[in-house]
Amino acid sequence: SSDLHIKHINLFKANVNYYSSDSAVFSDAKIYNKLLVSDVHVGPISFNRDFSEAIFSEIDKKGFKKGKRKVYKPQLYSIRISDDKIFDRKKLNFVQNQYSYSQPAFSPDGNRLYFVSDFPCEKQGTNIFYSDKTINGWSEPILVDSINSDGNEMFPTILGDKIYFSSSEFNSLGGLDIFESKLINGKWSSPINLGPSINTSFDEFSMVFNPDKKSGYFTSNRENGQGSDDIYSFIKRIKAIVNTNHKEITGQFEYMHLKGK
């Protein structure tokens, strides 16, 4: 029916009309592509660097039998994009329909895919895995070291040598918090909570960045929103303490006077 996108989660797009230090204004949201509209949940989606390929999740319609009932879980699909048209939709080769696979995120070069799954491993809950692109498709997934716990890790985003993700564990302020980890000598560092400027006692998740890598968006179900989950914008600022040569420093800073200095 024509109202499928209202009854189910589907992929939308909106252009940024205006962005300032305290607000973001967008054009009206529109369906990303009618060929991806479904009568089951579709999304999130991740694009490679030149937008020639995308991977998205969609609830599997066939499902699998678990006891006397059928269970339907999200699966990962790839598409090729050319002139705003999509081609070659196919399920990723490592996907098994008895497990969930969702929230894909490409590495900067597009040759590694991070995603979230409940695939059995040494950690409980949902965890973040990665798979590498090969000439035969995608490799068997590997659990990401250091950033997974027995809680739920979700919504990875890669920005250069850093990964941003949500977790209900580590030193969460409550619910899901967004954490940052840095790739050092091939290993991810211990997660750092982004703190109260982003996180609350409610859920914060799904952080993404604009092309400038200094601003972006995340989702939260905190109080005073317009719905259960709302999208918020942010600007990343670097804090610095300057003791001398103040006039030679340029950029956007928060100044703080220290008594006795």
Side-chain angles (χ1 to χ4, degrees):
S1 66
S2 61
D3 63 345
L4 287 178
H5 62 284
I6 297 176
K7 292 183 178 180
H8 299 274
I9 294 173
N10 278 281
L11 296 170
F12 286 76
K13 62 180 179 181
N15 294 325
V16 179
N17 288 340
Y18 178 76
Y19 205 103
S20 69
S21 61
D22 61 357
S23 65
V25 178
F26 294 84
S27 63
D28 291 340
K30 298 179 180 179
I31 286 289
Y32 165 63
N33 190 299
K34 291 182 179 180
L35 293 179
L36 297 181
V37 172
S38 175
D39 56 354
V40 295
H41 296 325
V42 180
I45 191 169
S46 179
F47 298 88
N48 67 350
R49 185 163 49 189
D50 63 2
F51 291 89
S52 63
E53 181 183 6
I55 292 179
F56 65 96
S57 64
E58 180 176 324
I59 298 295
D60 181 47
K61 295 181 181 181
K62 294 182 180 179
F64 71 98
K65 287 186 178 180
K66 189 174 182 180
K68 295 182 179 180
R69 63 190 183 94
K70 265 198 169 186
V71 177
Y72 303 87
K73 295 202 171 188
Q75 315 277 267
L76 291 175
Y77 298 82
S78 64
I79 52 174
R80 189 168 55 84
I81 305 169
S82 179
D83 296 327
D84 292 328
K85 296 180 181 179
I86 64 174
F87 305 89
D88 302 335
R89 170 193 168 113
K90 57 184 177 182
K91 184 181 290 188
L92 298 197
N93 50 279
F94 59 75
V95 167
Q96 303 178 51
N97 67 348
Q98 68 265 43
Y99 305 116
S100 66
Y101 304 82
S102 187
Q103 301 156 25
F106 276 108
S107 63
D109 63 7
N111 291 324
R112 177 166 287 184
L113 180 73
Y114 293 82
F115 62 92
V116 174
S117 180
D118 61 0
F119 188 84
C121 62
E122 59 263 35
K123 299 293 184 180
Q124 298 180 22
T126 58
N127 294 287
I128 298 173
F129 295 78
Y130 73 86
S131 172
D132 289 324
K133 182 181 283 188
T134 72
I135 59 174
N136 298 316
W138 291 93
S139 68
E140 287 299 312
I142 297 175
L143 183 71
V144 179
D145 288 334
S146 305
I147 66 170
N148 285 301
S149 71
D150 287 331
N152 291 319
E153 279 69 50
M154 309 174 74
F155 294 99
T157 293
I158 308 297
L159 184 69
D161 61 354
K162 293 182 178 179
I163 184 171
Y164 296 85
F165 66 96
S166 291
S167 176
S168 60
E169 295 294 309
F170 304 109
N171 57 335
S172 169
L173 302 181
L176 291 171
D177 276 6
I178 300 176
F179 292 81
E180 175 190 274
S181 177
K182 187 173 182 178
L183 191 61
I184 303 174
N185 297 325
K187 294 184 178 181
W188 293 105
S189 63
S190 297
I192 297 175
N193 192 304
L194 292 189
S197 61
I198 292 290
N199 293 315
T200 67
S201 60
F202 295 86
D203 293 328
E204 283 75 39
F205 54 96
S206 194
M207 175 171 277
V208 295
F209 289 83
N210 286 316
D212 65 8
K213 300 180 182 180
K214 298 177 182 178
S215 61
Y217 317 93
F218 66 94
T219 303
S220 177
N221 61 359
R222 63 187 63 184
E223 293 178 322
N224 302 318
Q226 294 185 4
S228 56
D229 292 332
D230 296 294
I231 299 173
Y232 295 82
S233 64
F234 69 88
I235 291 180
K236 189 176 181 180
R237 289 181 177 153
I238 299 175
K239 292 187 177 181
I241 297 176
V242 181
N243 293 319
T244 61
N245 299 327
H246 303 85
K247 294 182 179 180
E248 297 178 12
I249 304 298
T250 61
Q252 189 174 19
F253 296 95
E254 293 179 7
Y255 292 97
M256 179 175 62
H257 176 68
L258 300 179
K259 292 183 178 180
K261 300 290 185 180

